Amino acid sequence: MKTVYLDQLHWIEISKAIHGLTVRDGTAETLAHMRCRASEGELLFPLSLAHYFETLKQADPARRQRLSTVMRELSGGYTIADPTTVLKHEIRSALISKLDIDSLVAPLKLLGRGMEHALGRSFNLCLEWPHPDKVPKEVREKVELDMFDLLESTFLSGMLDVHETPVLFPQMKLEPDKKFQDHLTEWRGFGAKMSKAELRREVCAITLADIMDSLSVVLTELGITMVQFATLGEPGWCELLDMMPSRRADMHLRTQWAKNASLNPKLSDLNDWTYLGIAVCYCDQVVTENQMNNLFHRSEEFAPKSTARLTDLLKL
């Protein structure tokens, strides 16, 4: 089975096609292909927490509902692991390999079900039956399945129907998105006067600072002190970052921004940077927007997995 990660704009395009709105040439044919391959178990279209966030930015309740319904259908409820879970796994794997530690690394569980997996946190939800012995097991299981399905739909759409009146979850606050957009505005072209070595050192330093919280947790779990970690020195730290797939993607994107002063920062870049950087490492195909696709195509590692054309899925 191949996993395909769709950027939000492509989910919106698919939703338009399903609901009879005007779409680009080839979208309807691609949608039919996606549905067929998904039903046959050949393609999987997992969501991430970014899709929950982006949907909550939509103010129109009807659009939220239409979009979330389509996402639920084609994803089958599957989601990819949250960024912190992925990061800690990569840090642990890199440290064990780099320091030759006698410890096993559990496989990364990239795919799971629902918002709990996407969030990396269990809500411990369960139904308590007053007299379970009086209700057939198959009935209890069906009711519980329907209840949790309703909860998942509510989480994704950010909307709950109460007496036929939709109650919307609050729209996502955009302050973090704006802050990251401002950061990218300042960072673009930043490395124009730097040597390649100087830029790499700067990018590695920023990346190391970004992961410090998760790094501290994993160091403690492995019994490694900060003093021991510090003895690796700058070359060792950079090598360690290179051993982490999602950090390679992150550093690639940051390097490209530093080299190009003409890039256009967008409000969606924070989610794109975070979740597409994971998807391009662990999924078989990523379908994103033009600018991010162009950045991925400046890397031999990521170029084969990235496209901006939804119709390219017809080739899978």
Side-chain angles (χ1 to χ4, degrees):
M1 177 185 291
K2 292 183 181 293
T3 54
V4 179
Y5 185 88
L6 302 180
D7 207 343
Q8 186 81 353
L9 79 160
H10 294 294
W11 280 112
I12 293 172
E13 174 77 358
I14 290 168
S15 179
K16 288 180 179 179
I18 289 178
H19 293 96
L21 301 177
T22 302
V23 292
R24 292 186 291 271
D25 291 343
T27 296
E29 182 184 2
T30 305
L31 172 60
H33 176 78
M34 292 169 63
R35 279 176 154 168
C36 178
R37 293 295 174 262
S39 67
E40 294 172 351
E42 295 178 356
L43 291 181
L44 184 66
F45 303 94
L47 303 176
S48 74
L49 200 58
H51 296 108
Y52 292 79
F53 291 156
E54 293 296 330
T55 302
L56 285 180
K57 293 177 182 178
Q58 174 58 250
D60 187 321
R63 289 182 180 177
R64 277 195 192 185
Q65 191 66 274
R66 288 197 300 265
L67 183 57
S68 64
T69 299
V70 172
M71 286 178 165
R72 288 279 293 156
E73 176 204 335
L74 276 172
S75 70
Y78 280 94
T79 52
I80 64 173
D82 70 291
T84 301
T85 296
V86 174
L87 179 57
K88 287 181 178 178
H89 169 81
E90 292 183 350
I91 293 173
R92 189 176 292 107
S93 299
L95 283 170
I96 288 174
S97 177
K98 174 72 175 172
L99 302 178
D100 195 24
I101 298 172
D102 185 17
S103 179
L104 297 176
V105 181
L108 172 64
K109 186 183 179 184
L110 179 70
L111 297 174
R113 302 301 294 271
M115 188 177 183
E116 285 185 313
H117 184 71
L119 193 60
R121 188 176 304 166
S122 175
F123 302 143
N124 295 316
L125 298 175
C126 62
L127 291 179
E128 292 188 5
W129 296 83
H131 304 286
D133 54 312
K134 295 182 179 181
V135 183
K137 180 181 177 181
E138 60 271 18
V139 174
R140 296 200 309 270
E141 290 177 347
K142 179 64 169 64
V143 171
E144 291 172 358
L145 185 63
D146 289 345
M147 286 294 295
F148 289 121
D149 190 63
L150 175 61
L151 280 174
E152 279 298 326
S153 177
T154 300
F155 288 144
L156 185 56
S157 66
M159 188 173 76
L160 180 64
D161 286 332
V162 180
H163 301 300
E164 299 183 356
T165 301
V167 176
L168 295 183
F169 291 7
Q171 285 182 262
M172 287 293 297
K173 294 182 179 180
L174 299 178
E175 283 77 8
D177 303 76
K178 291 176 180 176
K179 184 177 180 181
F180 190 72
Q181 185 181 30
D182 291 341
H183 166 69
L184 290 183
T185 300
E186 297 174 359
W187 181 254
R188 61 183 176 180
F190 185 83
K193 297 181 180 180
M194 291 182 176
S195 68
K196 185 176 180 180
E198 289 172 335
L199 179 57
R200 173 169 167 77
R201 289 184 64 192
E202 184 73 19
V203 169
C204 284
I206 293 173
T207 306
L208 187 62
D210 284 345
I211 71 167
M212 191 54 67
D213 287 345
S214 294
L215 176 63
S216 299
V217 171
V218 177
L219 287 174
T220 300
E221 290 175 355
L222 294 176
I224 303 170
T225 67
M226 270 297 182
V227 173
Q228 291 173 309
F229 179 74
T231 60
L232 290 174
E234 186 177 291
W237 301 335
C238 291
E239 183 181 341
L240 199 70
L241 292 171
D242 285 333
M243 297 168 71
M244 306 176 198
S246 70
R247 294 312 90 197
R248 288 200 303 273
D250 185 273
M251 292 191 294
H252 167 72
L253 293 174
R254 188 174 293 281
T255 300
Q256 295 307 312
W257 273 89
K259 289 180 176 180
N260 193 334
S262 64
L263 292 173
N264 180 34
K266 303 182 298 301
L267 274 177
S268 61
D269 279 331
L270 177 57
N271 280 334
D272 286 349
W273 194 296
T274 302
Y275 293 93
L276 285 167
I278 292 173
V280 79
C281 296
Y282 293 99
C283 294
D284 295 288
Q285 186 75 53
V286 165
V287 190
T288 183
E289 47 82 35
N290 287 323
Q291 182 167 270
M292 189 63 73
N293 181 57
N294 288 336
L295 294 177
F296 282 143
H297 273 254
R298 297 174 190 177
S299 162
E300 292 182 1
E301 179 181 2
F302 306 125
K305 289 187 171 186
S306 179
T307 181
R309 296 187 298 268
L310 192 63
T311 52
D312 280 351
L313 295 183
L314 293 170
K315 303 172 186 176
L316 287 181

